[in-house]
């Protein structure tokens, strides 16, 4: 597929589901392949600009070290909503990301907004991930 091919909601959903499958498999190189170089992760604790896939793999390993210490087992996601930002640029919101303990109980729920584009090689990749608290759109600023 070319870089100019339109991005569909179905393609975005497939990309995110495939990324979550790699996440649950703890396949760090596969997870990193879903992102552009550079890519950006925005968390409450800070912004991480990851210049290449090696840096992204190292960052994901750090994220997983903390998750594994908490007993992380797997992630499940709910509905994905998409919005076209511009030709070749989409935003996807996953408002129900549930992380489960290996024993089955819920560890946490988060929301993530991804920005995606089609790269020169035609692959759909995520440029950024913004991690939010559940219900952040409804919450008032304090």
């Amino acid at each position: 597929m070319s870089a100019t091919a339109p991005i569909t909601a179905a393609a975005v959903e497939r990309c995110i589901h495939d990324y979550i499958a790699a996440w649950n498999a703890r396949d760090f190189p596969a997870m990193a392949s879903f992102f552009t170089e550079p890519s950006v992760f925005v968390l409450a604790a800070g912004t991480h600009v990851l210049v290449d896939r090696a840096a992204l793999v190292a960052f994901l390993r750090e994220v997983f070290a903390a998750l594994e210490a908490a007993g992380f087992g797997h992630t499940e996601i709910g509905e994905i909503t998409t919005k076209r930002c511009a030709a070749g640029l989409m935003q996807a919101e996953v408002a129900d990301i549930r992380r489960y303990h290996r024993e089955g109980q819920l560890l946490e729920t988060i929301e993530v907004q991804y920005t995606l584009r089609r790269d020169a090689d035609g692959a759909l990749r995520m440029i950024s991930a913004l991690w939010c608290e559940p219900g952040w759109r409804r919450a008032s600023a304090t």
Side-chain angles (χ1 to χ4, degrees):
M1 189 169 291
S2 76
T4 59
I7 301 172
T8 65
V12 170
E13 289 177 16
R14 190 169 38 260
C15 179
I16 292 171
H17 281 287
D18 290 348
Y19 170 69
I20 295 299
W23 175 276
N24 282 331
R26 290 147 173 86
D27 185 342
F28 299 105
M31 282 186 267
S33 75
F34 285 93
F35 286 86
T36 59
E37 295 178 281
S39 58
V40 178
F41 278 70
V42 180
L43 310 150
T47 300
H48 304 269
V49 178
L50 304 155
V51 296
D52 58 22
R53 294 215 171 88
L56 183 52
V57 166
F59 170 75
L60 291 167
R61 288 187 187 280
E62 287 178 28
V63 169
F64 265 81
L67 288 171
E68 296 289 352
F72 173 74
H74 73 282
T75 294
E76 296 177 11
I77 64 172
E79 181 181 4
I80 300 168
T81 57
T82 61
K83 291 181 184 174
R84 181 181 176 276
C85 301
L89 192 63
M90 293 281 280
Q91 182 185 43
E93 184 174 309
V94 186
D96 184 21
I97 299 177
R98 289 156 292 164
R99 293 181 177 158
Y100 289 92
H101 190 274
R102 66 180 69 92
E103 301 294 327
Q105 66 268 32
L106 183 65
L107 285 174
E108 68 177 340
T109 302
I110 62 170
E111 296 184 13
V112 177
Q113 290 194 2
Y114 299 100
T115 305
L116 300 95
R117 74 164 187 234
R118 197 168 297 286
D119 268 357
D121 65 1
L124 185 59
R125 292 203 171 85
M126 295 178 269
I127 301 165
S128 64
L130 169 64
W131 294 4
C132 305
E133 294 176 351
W136 67 273
R137 286 187 185 271
R138 294 180 305 278
S140 62
T142 55

